[in-house]
Structures are given as C-alpha cells and as structure tokens.
Amino acid sequence: MKATIVTIGDEILIGQIVDTNSGFIAKSLDKIGVEINEMISISDDKKHILDTFAALQNKVDLVIITGGLGPTKDDVTKKTFCDYFEDELVIDEVVEKHVIELIERVMKRTASQINKDQALVPSKCTVLHNQVGTAPGMWMKKENTVFISLPGVPYEMKYLVENEIIPKVVREYKRPYIIHKTILTYGQGESLVAERIEDWENNLPAFIKLAYLPAPGRVRLRLSARGIDKEKLEAALEENVNSLDAIIHDIIVGFDDDETIEVVVGKMLLKQNKTISTAESCTGGKIASILTSVSGASGYFKGSVVSYATAAKIDVLGVSKNLINEYSVVSKEVVSEMALNVKKMMKTDYAIATTGNAGPSKGDSNVEIGTVFIALATPDRIIVEEFNFGQPREKVIDRAVIKSLELLQKEILKNVR
Amino acid sequence: MKATIVTIGDEILIGQIVDTNSGFIAKSLDKIGVEINEMISISDDKKHILDTFAALQNKVDLVIITGGLGPTKDDVTKKTFCDYFEDELVIDEVVEKHVIELIERVMKRTASQINKDQALVPSKCTVLHNQVGTAPGMWMKKENTVFISLPGVPYEMKYLVENEIIPKVVREYKRPYIIHKTILTYGQGESLVAERIEDWENNLPAFIKLAYLPAPGRVRLRLSARGIDKEKLEAALEENVNSLDAIIHDIIVGFDDDETIEVVVGKMLLKQNKTISTAESCTGGKIASILTSVSGASGYFKGSVVSYATAAKIDVLGVSKNLINEYSVVSKEVVSEMALNVKKMMKTDYAIATTGNAGPSKGDSNVEIGTVFIALATPDRIIVEEFNFGQPREKVIDRAVIKSLELLQKEILKNVR
C-alpha cells in the first residue's frame, strides 16, 4: 500500500513556514505499514492542485492533502475537490452544529457566516469529524485512489490522523509489515562508523535496508525490514542488531526510535535516582527547556538559574565578583563556580553550567565569538570543557546544548556500563 | 524563472526527520525573484531519482537537490547523476586536498579512503566548493534545466546556497521582481480578521496576492506582488498596506517578515530602555530560551529562575511555604509571588512567571491537566491570567510561552500606541 503526502500553501513554497505536518503523517502511516513514496508541496493554485491530483490518480492508493481548508479566500482546496470529483458543496448539518457550538464555547461569540461555511463539504465525501477545530477532514475515492483532505493547523491535523484516518485504514486495508529499528550512537562521525561496520553492512539480507542519519556529535543507524512474514522480519532484525552491538558496543547509547538524548538521559537519571539542575548563560534556558520537554522530568529535574546578565551571575547565583574581574564571565573558573553554586542551591546530584559568547557581537567578555565553556558538576567532581562552535548564533547555542547533554550522558553512563 | 526543490532521503519519507533545508533554499531563492513551483521529497532509490529528474527536465529552469551526498553507502545521488548525465566520476584534486586538510585539522586524524571518495564528482560538473564540510556541491546543465546537488547537512547546504548558488544565479540569470510584505496581527482569529478586511481584499490589484498564515493567537497576512516594474510594485504594496493599516490598526503589531513576537518584544523593550526576567515552572525555561534566541537580547533580558520543583520555588525563588500549602503550587497566588520575587532578584522592570500542569499526569497540585497561570509584573502592577490549554504536553508548554509573550507585548504596547 502506497501513499503520497501533498501539502498545499504558498507560505511553504516561499519558505515562510516549515512543513512539519508531512513528517507526522509519514510517521503515523509508516507505523501501520503504509509506504510513503513521495511528499510534495505545491501552491494554492487550482490548476496546480488539479494537475497534481491527476498525476497521482491510480499511481498510489492514498493521497493525503493538508492545508488550504481554512475559512479565508486564499484557501481553494474544497472548490478544487469539487472540480476534480465533479461534485458540489453542500452543508453538513453535524459539522455546522459543531462549528456553531465550538465558536460559542471557545471564542464566546456567535458564529459568523464565514465560520458556518466551514460546514460546506463535497456531497460525495465521507466527512472526518474534527473535534478540536472548525474545518472537517474529507475522504473521497476515485477509481483506485483515495484522496483525503485535512486542515493544515498541526494539532487539528494530528487529531484527524490519529482518531479517524489510522483506524479507518487499519480496518479497511491489508498492508505488509515494515519494521524499523534505530540504533543511536554518540561520539564518532558517519564515515568512521561506516568503516567500522562495513563487513557487517555488506552481509545484511536484501530485505533489510540500512540508513545513516548523522547529526552534530551523533549518528543514528536505521534498519528497515519489509516483508509479509512478521516473525521472520523481527528475528532477522534482532539478530543483526545483536551482531552490530558486538562491533560498536562502545558508542551505542540507545535503541528506541524516539530516544533523543534528553529522553535517554532522563531515563538514566530516574533509574539511578539522581537529580539535576542547570545554570545557563549563553544557552539562555534551552538546556532546562529541553530536559523539561520530556514528560516525567519532574522526577529528576529540579530547576535552573538562567544568569544571562553578569549581575545575575553575581546576585542570584553567587559567583564571586573578584573571580569575574580576574578571569572574565566567559572562563573556566566562572563556569565551574556556576555549576557548583546551582548544584548547592537546587540541592541536586548533578549540575550543568554554560557560559560563552554566541555572537554576533562581543558581549561582557573579550573572548572570540563562538567560544563556550561547559561545566558538569557530578556528586564528587567537576569537569570543564572549552569549545569554539564558530557561527551563527543559533548553531553556537544548539551545539552548546547538545554538548552539555552529551557530557552528562557520558558521565552517567560510567555508572552503568 | 522557476525552480523545484528535491529532497532525497528515506529518513524524511518515514517521518524520522523533518526537512528544514527546502524552506531555507526557498526563502533564499524567493528573495532574488526565483519562483519555487514545487518541493518534492523522494526516496534514496536510483530509479525514483531518475524518474523525478526526467519529469522535471525542461519544465523548470533550476532543480535543487539536497541529501544523498554523504560518505556512506545509503547515499546514491552522485552515481545517479552520472547515469542521468551519461558521465563518470573523477577525482577533483582541489576537493581532495580540501578533504584531507579538513579531516586532519578538525578530526585530528588521517583521511580514510571513504573520506577521500568525497572528492569524486561527475567529470562534466561545475564543482561548488564546500568550505565547511567534505561533500562538494555540483552544478550540471542538461538542455534548459540546471540540476544542482547539495549535501543534506543544514549548515553545509546553507553555506553553498549563500556563497555559491545565489551569487551564480544573480550573475547568470534575468529574473522578475517578487516583493513580499508581511503584516503581523495579534489577538483576533483568521475568520474575524477576514471579515474586517473583506472589502479591502476584494479591491486588491490582480498582481498582488494575499495569504493568511494563522497560528495560535496571531494571524500573519502576507502580500506578494510580482511583476517587472519594481517601483510600481513597491508603490502599490505601500498604498495597500497603508489602507489595510487604517482598517485594522488596533491589531497590527509589526510589518517585518522576520518579526516574530520575541523580536518585536525585544525591540520595544530596547526602545523603552526596560528590562525583563522570568520565573518559570511549567514552561521550564522556554520563555527565557526564546527571548535569548534573539541577538542583542542581553540589552533587555537579565535572567530567569526555572523553579520546576516545589522546593526550588521555596528555596531559590523565596515563595512562601504557607502560600503554597494554602493555595497549591498551581495557583494565582503562587504565580504572582513568583513574578514579584524574580523581578526583585533580577532587578528588572518587567517579570513573567508561569506555573501549571502540562501533563500527561498530575504533579504536585490537584488542578486539571492543561491548567496554566501566567503572571506579568510591570513597573507598577501585577496581572494574572488563568488558562486551560488542554493536551498534549507540548501544546500546553508552547501555548503558555506564546500567551506569556503576548501578555507582555500587549502591556508594553500601551506605552507606545
């Protein structure tokens, strides 16, 4: 079973917004064995939409379309659906009632005509009821292809995918199995990892595909097995993951697809019953923010002091003024003090501290732009590292965040492996 | 001049990573008047790539391809290029020298054969030299279409777009003008804004297109003018923006394409010579992190206390234990105290505080999941608002961050408009 995801909207084509909807839909369909063969972003133009529909007709089983369903004039999807299916728009009374109620309850006003027009749907379509917004989803079949239209607002799209589309596809279609296994490695680059596992890779069976997904400091290896015999696929995947683990055991830190470093670190801290806090200058609270994005973070994360201004480092974090005068705010000495002090203030086992100059201009220190000091206070010692992450600002901050979490992870790993 | 952006990589089609490269390329090309007519993501499969190239041949002037250029076996783009252009791979000596030097300097080891193979390029291509990584870009022309291949690592891709592709396109091609103007509005929904400006919208000239880009709490209106007479376009855009401003002046907060709320708020604080701090519980440092993502934030942002654990609220932020016992950590009373205390600690003019339960499970308070209290301490008063952002966790945190910034902005706006 094959699907194509189509995103409609000029705002994507001029780069004003990034399309995150397609990724969510792909992941959801992939889990139930639907293969995504393409993702396409096109303009809000009727002819362009019609040409795209025609090109996909009978080439794939499912076409999932997001965007172009809002109440305003730049949204043309519904009218184009009518043209393509030779249909006309009619009011769906269930949707109309829902829209009127939702506007009254949430917006505390009467629904306008523009709101009510959201209930207009092609007469032949199966309506996918959107409980979290006003624009309904639509499911229409022509010959061998089903066309599904969804609103572009991410949480409305997600609601309809999870509650309407996935259950309907699972009920109505037979699909092959696709199983993925992701191996997360840290500390070695893509080409070095590739060299180490070359023989293993050459011996993979044909139904298992390997992909390298590099990111700063880490490489994800993804194995994908596709076939009809689920047990055979699972056994082969397990066997190959085990033989891989024997080769690069030293750099493997996790196996779950969703195991980002913040999730891995969180699990380890919980398991070891340890707590953490942060004192952040150049990272501006981003380490705390990423740690707390994980549900259950309150089990190990206590808090953070974002001491952005030099005064905050002195007044709130209690860093000595003399130390700052002697070594500058961006120094090994100051970052150590920040980590030790926040660890004491927040009463935690570990503490991370950052100070640096993310640019583009120089701040309260004379160090080169891109310079970052990271300190990790552990229950019994303090580790400090110096980096230069270059430019731009965004990259410096992101690299400092990742490096901090890596330092922490490496240190906690010592207690388990 | 038309372009299509093609992204190669199975990791995108299974939703494992989100393609942010296409958006960057689109924005860069749009600025110099190149129209992006489609973005396509396809698999690492040779036949799929060849079919896509053939379908685009002579339909567009430029095809920009990212991904599939790394050193590992799952990257097939270069070989496919050779097939499509009936060419063969040869070593480019300048690239080889660069790769060897880069590996020695950055990785502090000798370049391996896999590294050196990065210097293999199709013999007929124009090499785009990548100073920040090992994989070179490639520029090849067939009949009326130029195919450009770029590495998928975002900062390498960005380097080549900015330093090689944009200058080359500007030098070698004539392009029409495209001018965009974005109007940022806050506080009213898409359909309400649409009703207010309906007459104005109906009177727009045909060469100006309007798009609505809604997001929680705000709507961006984007006007795009396209034509050959730059002065005429600019004059028409200005005239229409002015007449729009006369209609919805009360909800317009900015005009710049890149003016996110954190940039707008930052500019206003700088202009009024005011400072800000935050005390964050459920938002976990994300408000601080977003405020400091803006360069120059040190001019108005002093710091934050992320008091995630109840103990941190008491010990670090000095919230009274009795107050917490009486009203719970998620309450109007506690959030007010948090804002007032951090304002005093950080010596700022404004302070934002958040406390709430982002879910999925209940924490140290009995309030309903999704409940968030936000407080804004101003130079002379304190404002507290209660919200329920529902679920999931990610949405609760994001909405709380946006609402906090909106509260702040609304308050500072009172001093200027």
Side-chain angles (χ1 to χ4, degrees):
Chain A
M1 188 173 190
K2 284 194 182 188
T4 293
I5 301 172
V6 177
T7 314
I8 297 176
D10 291 343
E11 64 275 19
I12 291 167
L13 293 180
I14 66 162
Q16 195 163 26
I17 66 164
V18 168
D19 167 36
T20 55
N21 286 347
S22 297
F24 178 85
I25 296 169
K27 208 169 193 168
S28 308
L29 289 176
D30 182 73
K31 272 189 196 148
I32 60 164
V34 177
E35 186 190 338
I36 310 299
N37 83 321
E38 270 185 21
M39 294 175 178
I40 310 176
S41 294
I42 59 174
S43 67
D44 283 318
D45 175 78
K46 198 173 207 172
K47 184 174 177 313
H48 200 167
I49 301 173
L50 289 174
D51 288 349
T52 305
F53 285 6
L56 295 170
Q57 182 66 54
N58 301 334
K59 296 265 169 58
V60 291
D61 305 286
L62 276 183
V63 177
I64 303 198
I65 302 128
T66 63
L69 277 192
T72 51
K73 306 206 167 179
D74 62 321
D75 291 324
V76 297
T77 307
K78 272 200 300 204
K79 282 171 208 143
T80 311
F81 249 58
C82 286
D83 270 27
Y84 190 70
F85 290 96
E86 293 167 359
D87 199 356
E88 51 175 8
L89 292 175
V90 294
I91 284 282
D92 181 289
E93 288 179 8
V94 178
V95 175
E96 191 180 34
K97 194 162 161 273
H98 163 72
V99 168
I100 292 172
E101 278 174 8
L102 194 75
I103 296 283
E104 277 177 5
R105 183 161 52 81
V106 178
M107 314 291 278
K108 294 179 176 70
R109 61 172 176 84
T110 315
S112 67
Q113 193 52 49
I114 290 184
N115 294 135
K116 286 182 195 160
D117 286 350
Q118 297 269 58
L120 285 168
V121 295
S123 72
K124 300 175 197 161
C125 88
T126 303
V127 172
L128 306 173
H129 290 280
N130 176 1
Q131 297 303 327
V132 297
T134 51
M138 291 167 280
W139 174 298
M140 291 186 93
K141 192 166 181 177
K142 186 170 182 173
E143 296 158 25
N144 299 320
T145 304
V146 170
F147 293 79
I148 302 168
S149 167
L150 298 174
V153 177
Y155 70 85
E156 298 186 18
M157 174 281 301
K158 283 183 187 174
Y159 174 87
L160 287 170
V161 169
E162 284 172 349
N163 296 284
E164 297 285 337
I165 296 172
I166 297 296
K168 197 167 158 72
V169 171
V170 167
R171 258 191 333 261
E172 298 176 7
Y173 293 85
K174 280 220 172 86
R175 291 141 289 117
Y177 291 103
I178 308 178
I179 313 179
H180 302 291
K181 185 86 192 172
T182 304
I183 299 103
L184 191 59
T185 73
Y186 268 86
Q188 288 180 354
E190 184 180 6
S191 59
L192 200 58
V193 175
E195 278 183 52
R196 291 184 64 185
I197 66 174
E198 193 174 4
D199 288 344
W200 172 85
E201 186 175 350
N202 289 335
N203 285 320
L204 280 175
F207 61 90
I208 298 186
K209 265 187 101 171
L210 171 71
Y212 291 78
L213 313 174
R218 60 187 189 273
V219 180
R220 266 207 182 83
L221 302 171
R222 194 195 57 238
L223 292 172
S224 308
R226 190 185 299 265
I228 46 164
D229 184 343
K230 195 182 169 194
E231 275 175 34
K232 186 187 154 201
L233 296 182
E234 279 172 350
L237 263 186
E238 197 188 329
E239 190 192 315
N240 281 288
V241 168
N242 287 341
S243 56
L244 177 67
D245 189 39
I247 306 167
I248 51 167
H249 184 73
D250 57 314
I251 54 167
I252 291 180
V253 294
F255 291 98
D256 189 343
D257 178 30
D258 293 325
E259 266 185 349
T260 54
I261 188 159
E262 59 271 22
V263 170
V264 173
V265 160
K267 278 185 189 163
M268 289 160 110
L269 286 168
L270 261 188
K271 209 166 153 187
Q272 298 180 28
N273 200 22
K274 299 287 184 204
T275 56
I276 180 136
S277 57
T278 70
E280 307 185 40
S281 184
C282 63
T283 50
K286 197 159 188 175
I287 302 174
S289 161
I290 283 177
L291 285 170
T292 58
S293 70
V294 180
S295 63
S298 58
Y300 48 88
F301 178 77
K302 295 296 168 201
S304 171
V305 174
V306 182
S307 54
Y308 208 63
T310 300
K313 292 185 185 72
I314 300 165
D315 299 343
V316 182
L317 213 46
V319 176
S320 136
K321 211 169 174 169
N322 291 337
L323 203 72
I324 291 176
N325 288 339
E326 192 170 346
Y327 300 102
S328 99
V329 281
V330 182
S331 64
K332 197 180 151 180
E333 290 73 15
V334 167
V335 82
S336 304
E337 190 96 342
M338 287 171 67
L340 292 170
N341 290 9
V342 83
K343 179 170 170 253
K344 202 182 288 173
M345 282 171 84
M346 297 283 179
K347 302 192 179 86
T348 54
D349 301 299
Y350 291 91
I352 295 169
T354 61
T355 184
N357 186 346
S361 60
K362 290 200 172 187
D364 282 359
S365 167
N366 258 326
V367 301
E368 205 185 327
I369 290 169
T371 302
V372 176
F373 287 89
I374 300 174
L376 174 67
T378 77
D380 48 24
R381 65 190 184 114
I382 178 122
I383 304 155
V384 182
E385 294 199 10
E386 179 179 356
F387 300 92
N388 191 302
F389 297 129
Q391 277 291 283
R393 182 178 177 83
E394 179 198 348
K395 180 181 149 202
V396 176
I397 296 174
D398 285 346
R399 295 291 300 267
V401 170
I402 290 281
K403 270 290 163 203
S404 300
L405 295 175
E406 279 177 35
L407 251 179
L408 172 66
Q409 184 187 38
K410 227 197 287 176
E411 201 52 34
I412 324 179
L413 260 180
K414 286 187 185 159
N415 304 332
V416 276
R417 297 194 90 142
Chain B
M1 189 173 189
K2 284 193 183 193
T4 294
I5 301 171
V6 177
T7 314
I8 297 176
D10 292 343
E11 64 275 19
I12 291 167
L13 293 180
I14 67 161
Q16 197 164 24
I17 66 163
V18 168
D19 166 35
T20 54
N21 286 347
S22 297
F24 178 84
I25 297 169
K27 210 171 191 166
S28 307
L29 289 176
D30 181 73
K31 271 188 197 149
I32 59 163
V34 177
E35 185 188 337
I36 310 298
N37 83 322
E38 271 186 20
M39 294 176 178
I40 310 176
S41 294
I42 59 174
S43 68
D44 284 318
D45 176 77
K46 199 175 209 172
K47 185 175 177 311
H48 200 168
I49 301 173
L50 288 175
D51 289 349
T52 305
F53 284 6
L56 295 170
Q57 183 66 54
N58 302 334
K59 295 266 168 58
V60 290
D61 306 286
L62 276 183
V63 177
I64 303 198
I65 303 129
T66 63
L69 277 191
T72 52
K73 305 207 168 181
D74 61 321
D75 292 324
V76 297
T77 307
K78 272 201 299 204
K79 282 172 206 141
T80 311
F81 249 58
C82 286
D83 271 27
Y84 190 70
F85 291 95
E86 293 168 359
D87 200 356
E88 51 177 7
L89 292 175
V90 294
I91 285 281
D92 181 290
E93 288 179 9
V94 178
V95 175
E96 190 180 35
K97 194 161 160 271
H98 163 72
V99 168
I100 292 172
E101 278 175 7
L102 194 74
I103 296 283
E104 277 176 7
R105 182 159 53 81
V106 178
M107 313 292 277
K108 294 178 177 71
R109 61 172 176 84
T110 315
S112 67
Q113 192 53 50
I114 290 185
N115 294 135
K116 286 181 195 159
D117 287 349
Q118 297 269 58
L120 285 168
V121 294
S123 72
K124 300 174 196 162
C125 88
T126 304
V127 172
L128 306 173
H129 290 282
N130 176 0
Q131 297 304 327
V132 297
T134 51
M138 292 166 280
W139 174 297
M140 292 186 92
K141 191 164 181 178
K142 186 170 183 172
E143 295 158 26
N144 299 319
T145 304
V146 170
F147 293 78
I148 302 168
S149 166
L150 299 175
V153 177
Y155 70 87
E156 298 185 18
M157 173 281 301
K158 283 183 188 175
Y159 174 87
L160 287 171
V161 168
E162 284 172 349
N163 296 284
E164 296 286 337
I165 296 172
I166 297 296
K168 197 167 157 71
V169 171
V170 167
R171 260 192 330 263
E172 298 176 9
Y173 293 85
K174 279 220 173 84
R175 292 142 289 116
Y177 291 103
I178 308 178
I179 314 178
H180 301 291
K181 185 86 191 172
T182 305
I183 299 103
L184 191 59
T185 73
Y186 269 85
Q188 288 181 353
E190 184 180 4
S191 58
L192 201 57
V193 175
E195 277 184 53
R196 291 183 64 185
I197 64 174
E198 193 174 3
D199 288 343
W200 171 85
E201 185 176 350
N202 290 335
N203 286 319
L204 279 175
F207 61 90
I208 298 186
K209 264 186 101 173
L210 171 72
Y212 290 79
L213 313 174
R218 60 184 189 273
V219 179
R220 265 206 183 84
L221 302 171
R222 193 193 61 237
L223 293 172
S224 309
R226 191 184 299 265
I228 44 163
D229 184 344
K230 196 183 170 194
E231 277 175 32
K232 186 187 154 200
L233 296 181
E234 279 173 350
L237 263 186
E238 198 190 327
E239 189 192 316
N240 282 287
V241 168
N242 287 342
S243 56
L244 177 67
D245 189 40
I247 305 167
I248 52 168
H249 185 73
D250 55 313
I251 55 168
I252 292 179
V253 294
F255 290 99
D256 189 343
D257 179 31
D258 293 324
E259 267 185 350
T260 54
I261 188 159
E262 58 271 23
V263 170
V264 173
V265 160
K267 278 186 190 164
M268 288 161 115
L269 287 168
L270 261 189
K271 209 165 151 187
Q272 298 180 26
N273 199 23
K274 300 287 184 203
T275 56
I276 180 136
S277 57
T278 71
E280 307 186 40
S281 184
C282 63
T283 50
K286 195 158 190 177
I287 302 173
S289 161
I290 284 177
L291 285 171
T292 58
S293 70
V294 180
S295 63
S298 58
Y300 48 87
F301 178 77
K302 294 297 167 200
S304 171
V305 174
V306 182
S307 54
Y308 208 63
T310 300
K313 291 185 186 71
I314 299 167
D315 299 344
V316 182
L317 213 46
V319 175
S320 137
K321 211 170 174 170
N322 291 337
L323 203 72
I324 291 176
N325 288 339
E326 191 170 346
Y327 298 101
S328 100
V329 281
V330 183
S331 64
K332 197 179 151 182
E333 290 74 13
V334 167
V335 82
S336 304
E337 191 97 341
M338 288 170 68
L340 291 171
N341 290 8
V342 83
K343 179 170 170 250
K344 203 181 288 175
M345 283 171 84
M346 298 284 179
K347 302 192 180 87
T348 54
D349 302 298
Y350 291 91
I352 295 169
T354 61
T355 183
N357 186 346
S361 60
K362 290 202 173 189
D364 281 0
S365 167
N366 259 326
V367 301
E368 205 186 325
I369 290 168
T371 303
V372 175
F373 287 88
I374 300 175
L376 174 68
T378 76
D380 49 22
R381 65 190 185 115
I382 178 124
I383 304 155
V384 183
E385 293 199 11
E386 179 179 355
F387 300 92
N388 191 303
F389 297 129
Q391 275 293 282
R393 182 179 177 83
E394 179 198 352
K395 179 181 148 202
V396 176
I397 296 173
D398 285 346
R399 296 290 301 265
V401 170
I402 289 280
K403 270 289 163 205
S404 301
L405 295 175
E406 279 177 35
L407 252 179
L408 172 65
Q409 184 188 39
K410 227 197 287 176
E411 201 51 32
I412 324 177
L413 260 181
K414 286 188 186 160
N415 304 332
V416 275
R417 298 194 88 144

